[in-house]
Amino acid sequence: SNPDIVFLDIEMDGINGLEIAAKLPGNTCFIFTTAYLRYALEGFDLDAVDYLHKPFSFNRFQTAFSKALRRIGRSHLQTASQCIIVKQDYSNIPVVANLDTSQLIFNRLFSYGDYLWIGTQSGLYCYNTQNQFCILYQHNPNNPHSISSNFITDIDKNSSGDIIIGTRNGVNIYQRNDQFVTFSRGIQARSLNDNIVNRIFVDKNDNIWAGTDFGGINIMAPQRITFNYSLQGYEKGVPNIISTVLEDKEGNILAGIVDGGLAIKRKGADSFSFFKHNPGDPRSLAHNNISGIIQDLHGNYWISTIGGGLDKLDKNNLSHPVFEHYNSLNSSLTSDDIHDIALDSARNALWICNGNHINTLDFSTGAINRLKFYTQSKEPVHNMNTIFIDSQSRLWIGGNGVYVIDLE
């Protein structure tokens, strides 16, 4: 029988997910999961339900899966209590199964926030007490970021909320991107001296104490963070006040400076190049007061300014920037004072926030529209400073209070 919903990676050995999607039956919903944003437009051209950029959160996965269910006209596949989610190479794979605890040997239970962590001899379970979903983490020899062993001996946490797991094959630290960092016995000095870890304890200084079978106690000190400095100094007695920083997909750094224009450091370069508004050059930066920088799915840059509207910088012109201007005089932009911008890859659009209005720029048509919305008291919203789109397709607006708009 034909599948209802298919999750597709794009770059796979010997095959391309875009080609598979084009051959699927017309009534099959598919969701792309890939680490490469450059395929997003092609994915939506094929009428994909959604596009998950790796690594993605569980909430983001749930949103995409719910969209697919709505498209096929179903509200659910199984109840939450009848499902577990197996983590495999960053993918969330629903497996219809009852969690038969009679077949599990529990070594450790650990509670933190809304989550119950269950250490067993066959994997690590994370039970979300709010949505009643259980996620199973197991060792995958083909994934270096999976947990190092299915035999869990102990669980603790540090002050940052990272989960520390002792196993029969070293110490694992679970990070919020659904990856594990493993510390195991090695040939280098000061590595763990025994992989069989029986007990884990995190002290008040975040040192990890690991009690082992044959190596005694190993004490792991947290990594010390040091800082390098860049863009220090003054220009005409005014400091470089950094308003925004972006590292693009190629490793270039773009920084906005309050009343100081745009600073760009190409990958591998030792210093920044500076670009400012020139009243005699219509292709220069529209205004020196930069509030935000984002890179779209094509790799081009969008720069918001307070006083000059919105600028577009083609990715091919990064060494010798030529700026295309969008402002209240040549477009439908409602104000030239833009406080924040947010990329919406699901709608192929850019959200634009100024003090009193929200605009959207449709990348496919170039059209700018105004979003009209009101509070529950039917009053317009003022003093808007920042916007954000979460994994559930909700627009958050911050300023004099916080407002949430469900874009679905």
Side-chain angles (χ1 to χ4, degrees), residues 1 9 75 97-98 114 121 147 151 163 166 168 176 186 189 204 231-232 234 248 265 316 353 365 386:
S1 60
D9 204 336
S75 60
N98 290 319
D114 294 330
Q121 295 185 12
I147 196 167
F151 197 112
I163 303 299
R168 289 284 179 171
R176 291 173 180 80
K204 64 180 181 179
L231 287 179
Q232 294 184 97
Y234 292 75
D248 68 13
K265 186 167 89 71
N316 298 316
C353 172
T365 64
T386 185

PDB file of all heavy atoms in Angstrom, residues 1 9 75 97-98 114 121 147 151 163 166 168 176 186 189 204 231-232 234 248 265 316 353 365 386:
ATOM      1  N   SER A   1       0.839  -1.181   0.000  1.00  0.00           N
ATOM      2  CA  SER A   1       0.000   0.000   0.000  1.00  0.00           C
ATOM      3  C   SER A   1       0.882   1.241   0.000  1.00  0.00           C
ATOM      4  O   SER A   1       2.025   1.218   0.448  1.00  0.00           O
ATOM      5  CB  SER A   1      -0.911   0.013   1.226  1.00  0.00           C
ATOM      6  OG  SER A   1      -0.137   0.001   2.402  1.00  0.00           O
ATOM      7  N   ASP A   9      15.188  12.593   3.777  1.00  0.00           N
ATOM      8  CA  ASP A   9      16.415  13.374   3.718  1.00  0.00           C
ATOM      9  C   ASP A   9      16.644  13.716   2.245  1.00  0.00           C
ATOM     10  O   ASP A   9      15.997  13.150   1.350  1.00  0.00           O
ATOM     11  CB  ASP A   9      17.578  12.569   4.276  1.00  0.00           C
ATOM     12  CG  ASP A   9      18.695  13.460   4.786  1.00  0.00           C
ATOM     13  OD1 ASP A   9      18.788  14.616   4.324  1.00  0.00           O
ATOM     14  OD2 ASP A   9      19.470  12.997   5.636  1.00  0.00           O
ATOM     15  N   SER A  75      -6.661  13.156  12.546  1.00  0.00           N
ATOM     16  CA  SER A  75      -6.251  13.928  13.713  1.00  0.00           C
ATOM     17  C   SER A  75      -5.110  13.266  14.463  1.00  0.00           C
ATOM     18  O   SER A  75      -4.396  13.911  15.202  1.00  0.00           O
ATOM     19  CB  SER A  75      -7.432  14.127  14.669  1.00  0.00           C
ATOM     20  OG  SER A  75      -7.925  12.855  15.106  1.00  0.00           O
ATOM     21  N   ALA A  97       3.979   1.205  19.495  1.00  0.00           N
ATOM     22  CA  ALA A  97       4.386   0.152  20.433  1.00  0.00           C
ATOM     23  C   ALA A  97       3.958   0.556  21.829  1.00  0.00           C
ATOM     24  O   ALA A  97       3.969   1.732  22.171  1.00  0.00           O
ATOM     25  CB  ALA A  97       5.897  -0.059  20.400  1.00  0.00           C
ATOM     26  N   ASN A  98       3.583  -0.432  22.624  1.00  0.00           N
ATOM     27  CA  ASN A  98       3.336  -0.188  24.038  1.00  0.00           C
ATOM     28  C   ASN A  98       4.661  -0.313  24.785  1.00  0.00           C
ATOM     29  O   ASN A  98       5.460  -1.199  24.501  1.00  0.00           O
ATOM     30  CB  ASN A  98       2.332  -1.205  24.593  1.00  0.00           C
ATOM     31  CG  ASN A  98       0.938  -0.958  24.053  1.00  0.00           C
ATOM     32  OD1 ASN A  98       0.508   0.173  23.947  1.00  0.00           O
ATOM     33  ND2 ASN A  98       0.239  -2.032  23.714  1.00  0.00           N
ATOM     34  N   ASP A 114       9.906  19.182  33.578  1.00  0.00           N
ATOM     35  CA  ASP A 114       8.763  18.373  33.133  1.00  0.00           C
ATOM     36  C   ASP A 114       9.184  16.991  32.643  1.00  0.00           C
ATOM     37  O   ASP A 114       8.349  16.245  32.121  1.00  0.00           O
ATOM     38  CB  ASP A 114       8.015  19.086  32.007  1.00  0.00           C
ATOM     39  CG  ASP A 114       7.348  20.366  32.478  1.00  0.00           C
ATOM     40  OD1 ASP A 114       6.971  20.417  33.661  1.00  0.00           O
ATOM     41  OD2 ASP A 114       7.207  21.300  31.663  1.00  0.00           O
ATOM     42  N   GLN A 121      18.930  -0.920  31.043  1.00  0.00           N
ATOM     43  CA  GLN A 121      20.008  -1.701  30.438  1.00  0.00           C
ATOM     44  C   GLN A 121      19.824  -1.862  28.936  1.00  0.00           C
ATOM     45  O   GLN A 121      20.606  -2.561  28.286  1.00  0.00           O
ATOM     46  CB  GLN A 121      20.122  -3.061  31.125  1.00  0.00           C
ATOM     47  CG  GLN A 121      20.549  -2.969  32.583  1.00  0.00           C
ATOM     48  CD  GLN A 121      20.772  -4.312  33.231  1.00  0.00           C
ATOM     49  OE1 GLN A 121      20.823  -5.349  32.557  1.00  0.00           O
ATOM     50  NE2 GLN A 121      20.921  -4.317  34.559  1.00  0.00           N
ATOM     51  N   ILE A 147      24.140   8.132  21.890  1.00  0.00           N
ATOM     52  CA  ILE A 147      24.636   7.740  23.199  1.00  0.00           C
ATOM     53  C   ILE A 147      25.602   6.572  23.029  1.00  0.00           C
ATOM     54  O   ILE A 147      25.436   5.730  22.131  1.00  0.00           O
ATOM     55  CB  ILE A 147      23.460   7.410  24.145  1.00  0.00           C
ATOM     56  CG1 ILE A 147      23.924   7.378  25.589  1.00  0.00           C
ATOM     57  CG2 ILE A 147      22.756   6.119  23.734  1.00  0.00           C
ATOM     58  CD1 ILE A 147      22.793   7.382  26.594  1.00  0.00           C
ATOM     59  N   PHE A 151      23.531   0.566  28.030  1.00  0.00           N
ATOM     60  CA  PHE A 151      23.529   0.185  29.436  1.00  0.00           C
ATOM     61  C   PHE A 151      23.776   1.449  30.258  1.00  0.00           C
ATOM     62  O   PHE A 151      24.899   1.924  30.401  1.00  0.00           O
ATOM     63  CB  PHE A 151      24.616  -0.864  29.711  1.00  0.00           C
ATOM     64  CG  PHE A 151      24.431  -1.610  31.005  1.00  0.00           C
ATOM     65  CD1 PHE A 151      24.119  -2.963  31.014  1.00  0.00           C
ATOM     66  CD2 PHE A 151      24.580  -0.952  32.231  1.00  0.00           C
ATOM     67  CE1 PHE A 151      23.952  -3.652  32.214  1.00  0.00           C
ATOM     68  CE2 PHE A 151      24.404  -1.630  33.422  1.00  0.00           C
ATOM     69  CZ  PHE A 151      24.104  -2.985  33.418  1.00  0.00           C
ATOM     70  N   ILE A 163      22.162  17.163  30.801  1.00  0.00           N
ATOM     71  CA  ILE A 163      21.996  15.879  31.471  1.00  0.00           C
ATOM     72  C   ILE A 163      23.290  15.080  31.326  1.00  0.00           C
ATOM     73  O   ILE A 163      23.802  14.899  30.225  1.00  0.00           O
ATOM     74  CB  ILE A 163      20.805  15.108  30.891  1.00  0.00           C
ATOM     75  CG1 ILE A 163      19.522  15.946  30.995  1.00  0.00           C
ATOM     76  CG2 ILE A 163      20.632  13.777  31.616  1.00  0.00           C
ATOM     77  CD1 ILE A 163      19.131  16.315  32.407  1.00  0.00           C
ATOM     78  N   GLY A 166      26.006   8.325  33.017  1.00  0.00           N
ATOM     79  CA  GLY A 166      27.036   7.306  33.147  1.00  0.00           C
ATOM     80  C   GLY A 166      26.585   6.038  32.452  1.00  0.00           C
ATOM     81  O   GLY A 166      25.421   5.630  32.553  1.00  0.00           O
ATOM     82  N   ARG A 168      28.102   1.994  30.558  1.00  0.00           N
ATOM     83  CA  ARG A 168      29.145   0.969  30.517  1.00  0.00           C
ATOM     84  C   ARG A 168      30.179   1.246  29.436  1.00  0.00           C
ATOM     85  O   ARG A 168      31.060   0.423  29.206  1.00  0.00           O
ATOM     86  CB  ARG A 168      28.505  -0.405  30.299  1.00  0.00           C
ATOM     87  CG  ARG A 168      27.744  -0.939  31.483  1.00  0.00           C
ATOM     88  CD  ARG A 168      28.689  -1.458  32.553  1.00  0.00           C
ATOM     89  NE  ARG A 168      27.990  -1.961  33.735  1.00  0.00           N
ATOM     90  CZ  ARG A 168      28.581  -2.617  34.725  1.00  0.00           C
ATOM     91  NH1 ARG A 168      29.877  -2.837  34.673  1.00  0.00           N
ATOM     92  NH2 ARG A 168      27.882  -3.015  35.769  1.00  0.00           N
ATOM     93  N   ARG A 176      20.991  20.101  24.217  1.00  0.00           N
ATOM     94  CA  ARG A 176      19.622  20.408  23.800  1.00  0.00           C
ATOM     95  C   ARG A 176      19.386  20.258  22.304  1.00  0.00           C
ATOM     96  O   ARG A 176      18.272  20.412  21.837  1.00  0.00           O
ATOM     97  CB  ARG A 176      19.265  21.825  24.261  1.00  0.00           C
ATOM     98  CG  ARG A 176      19.124  21.926  25.770  1.00  0.00           C
ATOM     99  CD  ARG A 176      18.953  23.351  26.222  1.00  0.00           C
ATOM    100  NE  ARG A 176      18.822  23.474  27.656  1.00  0.00           N
ATOM    101  CZ  ARG A 176      19.832  23.452  28.505  1.00  0.00           C
ATOM    102  NH1 ARG A 176      21.059  23.302  28.053  1.00  0.00           N
ATOM    103  NH2 ARG A 176      19.629  23.575  29.796  1.00  0.00           N
ATOM    104  N   GLY A 186      40.893   6.916  26.548  1.00  0.00           N
ATOM    105  CA  GLY A 186      41.694   7.178  25.357  1.00  0.00           C
ATOM    106  C   GLY A 186      43.162   7.120  25.666  1.00  0.00           C
ATOM    107  O   GLY A 186      43.588   6.938  26.811  1.00  0.00           O
ATOM    108  N   ALA A 189      46.611  11.958  27.468  1.00  0.00           N
ATOM    109  CA  ALA A 189      46.716  12.174  28.906  1.00  0.00           C
ATOM    110  C   ALA A 189      45.434  12.832  29.429  1.00  0.00           C
ATOM    111  O   ALA A 189      44.770  13.586  28.731  1.00  0.00           O
ATOM    112  CB  ALA A 189      47.927  13.049  29.220  1.00  0.00           C
ATOM    113  N   LYS A 204      28.879  21.406  43.230  1.00  0.00           N
ATOM    114  CA  LYS A 204      28.391  22.772  43.093  1.00  0.00           C
ATOM    115  C   LYS A 204      29.213  23.595  42.115  1.00  0.00           C
ATOM    116  O   LYS A 204      28.765  24.649  41.644  1.00  0.00           O
ATOM    117  CB  LYS A 204      28.366  23.448  44.461  1.00  0.00           C
ATOM    118  CG  LYS A 204      29.736  23.605  45.093  1.00  0.00           C
ATOM    119  CD  LYS A 204      29.627  24.285  46.459  1.00  0.00           C
ATOM    120  CE  LYS A 204      31.006  24.457  47.094  1.00  0.00           C
ATOM    121  NZ  LYS A 204      30.911  25.129  48.414  1.00  0.00           N
ATOM    122  N   LEU A 231      36.661  44.139  16.653  1.00  0.00           N
ATOM    123  CA  LEU A 231      35.876  45.367  16.494  1.00  0.00           C
ATOM    124  C   LEU A 231      35.923  46.243  17.735  1.00  0.00           C
ATOM    125  O   LEU A 231      34.951  46.915  18.083  1.00  0.00           O
ATOM    126  CB  LEU A 231      34.417  45.045  16.128  1.00  0.00           C
ATOM    127  CG  LEU A 231      34.170  44.554  14.704  1.00  0.00           C
ATOM    128  CD1 LEU A 231      32.692  44.254  14.490  1.00  0.00           C
ATOM    129  CD2 LEU A 231      34.640  45.584  13.682  1.00  0.00           C
ATOM    130  N   GLN A 232      37.071  46.197  18.426  1.00  0.00           N
ATOM    131  CA  GLN A 232      37.246  47.130  19.527  1.00  0.00           C
ATOM    132  C   GLN A 232      37.635  48.498  18.965  1.00  0.00           C
ATOM    133  O   GLN A 232      38.047  48.626  17.831  1.00  0.00           O
ATOM    134  CB  GLN A 232      38.353  46.657  20.459  1.00  0.00           C
ATOM    135  CG  GLN A 232      38.065  45.368  21.196  1.00  0.00           C
ATOM    136  CD  GLN A 232      39.178  45.047  22.171  1.00  0.00           C
ATOM    137  OE1 GLN A 232      39.083  45.345  23.348  1.00  0.00           O
ATOM    138  NE2 GLN A 232      40.242  44.460  21.662  1.00  0.00           N
ATOM    139  N   TYR A 234      37.372  53.010  18.820  1.00  0.00           N
ATOM    140  CA  TYR A 234      36.495  54.156  18.673  1.00  0.00           C
ATOM    141  C   TYR A 234      36.699  54.780  17.290  1.00  0.00           C
ATOM    142  O   TYR A 234      37.743  54.653  16.679  1.00  0.00           O
ATOM    143  CB  TYR A 234      36.808  55.214  19.736  1.00  0.00           C
ATOM    144  CG  TYR A 234      36.464  54.789  21.146  1.00  0.00           C
ATOM    145  CD1 TYR A 234      37.262  53.878  21.829  1.00  0.00           C
ATOM    146  CD2 TYR A 234      35.342  55.296  21.777  1.00  0.00           C
ATOM    147  CE1 TYR A 234      36.950  53.491  23.115  1.00  0.00           C
ATOM    148  CE2 TYR A 234      35.025  54.919  23.073  1.00  0.00           C
ATOM    149  CZ  TYR A 234      35.836  54.022  23.734  1.00  0.00           C
ATOM    150  OH  TYR A 234      35.521  53.641  25.016  1.00  0.00           O
ATOM    151  N   ASP A 248      27.317  33.668   8.414  1.00  0.00           N
ATOM    152  CA  ASP A 248      26.535  33.087   7.331  1.00  0.00           C
ATOM    153  C   ASP A 248      26.930  31.638   7.084  1.00  0.00           C
ATOM    154  O   ASP A 248      27.800  31.076   7.768  1.00  0.00           O
ATOM    155  CB  ASP A 248      26.652  33.939   6.058  1.00  0.00           C
ATOM    156  CG  ASP A 248      28.051  33.906   5.451  1.00  0.00           C
ATOM    157  OD1 ASP A 248      28.881  33.055   5.844  1.00  0.00           O
ATOM    158  OD2 ASP A 248      28.330  34.743   4.562  1.00  0.00           O
ATOM    159  N   LYS A 265      33.689  40.485   7.794  1.00  0.00           N
ATOM    160  CA  LYS A 265      34.952  39.745   7.830  1.00  0.00           C
ATOM    161  C   LYS A 265      34.769  38.462   7.053  1.00  0.00           C
ATOM    162  O   LYS A 265      33.991  37.590   7.450  1.00  0.00           O
ATOM    163  CB  LYS A 265      35.382  39.443   9.271  1.00  0.00           C
ATOM    164  CG  LYS A 265      36.774  38.793   9.363  1.00  0.00           C
ATOM    165  CD  LYS A 265      37.299  38.811  10.790  1.00  0.00           C
ATOM    166  CE  LYS A 265      36.870  37.581  11.544  1.00  0.00           C
ATOM    167  NZ  LYS A 265      37.563  36.357  11.074  1.00  0.00           N
ATOM    168  N   ASN A 316      26.712  37.439  -3.988  1.00  0.00           N
ATOM    169  CA  ASN A 316      27.850  37.515  -4.895  1.00  0.00           C
ATOM    170  C   ASN A 316      28.579  38.855  -4.818  1.00  0.00           C
ATOM    171  O   ASN A 316      29.632  39.019  -5.447  1.00  0.00           O
ATOM    172  CB  ASN A 316      27.392  37.265  -6.339  1.00  0.00           C
ATOM    173  CG  ASN A 316      26.808  35.878  -6.522  1.00  0.00           C
ATOM    174  OD1 ASN A 316      27.364  34.898  -6.028  1.00  0.00           O
ATOM    175  ND2 ASN A 316      25.679  35.788  -7.217  1.00  0.00           N
ATOM    176  N   CYS A 353       9.464  44.402  11.454  1.00  0.00           N
ATOM    177  CA  CYS A 353       8.845  45.024  12.624  1.00  0.00           C
ATOM    178  C   CYS A 353       9.340  46.452  12.781  1.00  0.00           C
ATOM    179  O   CYS A 353      10.548  46.696  12.861  1.00  0.00           O
ATOM    180  CB  CYS A 353       9.186  44.205  13.871  1.00  0.00           C
ATOM    181  SG  CYS A 353       8.677  44.970  15.432  1.00  0.00           S
ATOM    182  N   THR A 365       7.517  37.252  -4.910  1.00  0.00           N
ATOM    183  CA  THR A 365       6.930  38.328  -5.715  1.00  0.00           C
ATOM    184  C   THR A 365       7.567  39.689  -5.454  1.00  0.00           C
ATOM    185  O   THR A 365       7.426  40.606  -6.262  1.00  0.00           O
ATOM    186  CB  THR A 365       5.422  38.440  -5.438  1.00  0.00           C
ATOM    187  OG1 THR A 365       5.219  38.832  -4.066  1.00  0.00           O
ATOM    188  CG2 THR A 365       4.720  37.107  -5.696  1.00  0.00           C
ATOM    189  N   THR A 386      10.608  43.848  18.704  1.00  0.00           N
ATOM    190  CA  THR A 386      11.230  42.597  18.265  1.00  0.00           C
ATOM    191  C   THR A 386      10.160  41.593  17.860  1.00  0.00           C
ATOM    192  O   THR A 386       9.022  41.643  18.348  1.00  0.00           O
ATOM    193  CB  THR A 386      12.107  42.013  19.388  1.00  0.00           C
ATOM    194  OG1 THR A 386      12.803  40.855  18.908  1.00  0.00           O
ATOM    195  CG2 THR A 386      11.280  41.633  20.601  1.00  0.00           C
TER     196      THR A 386
END
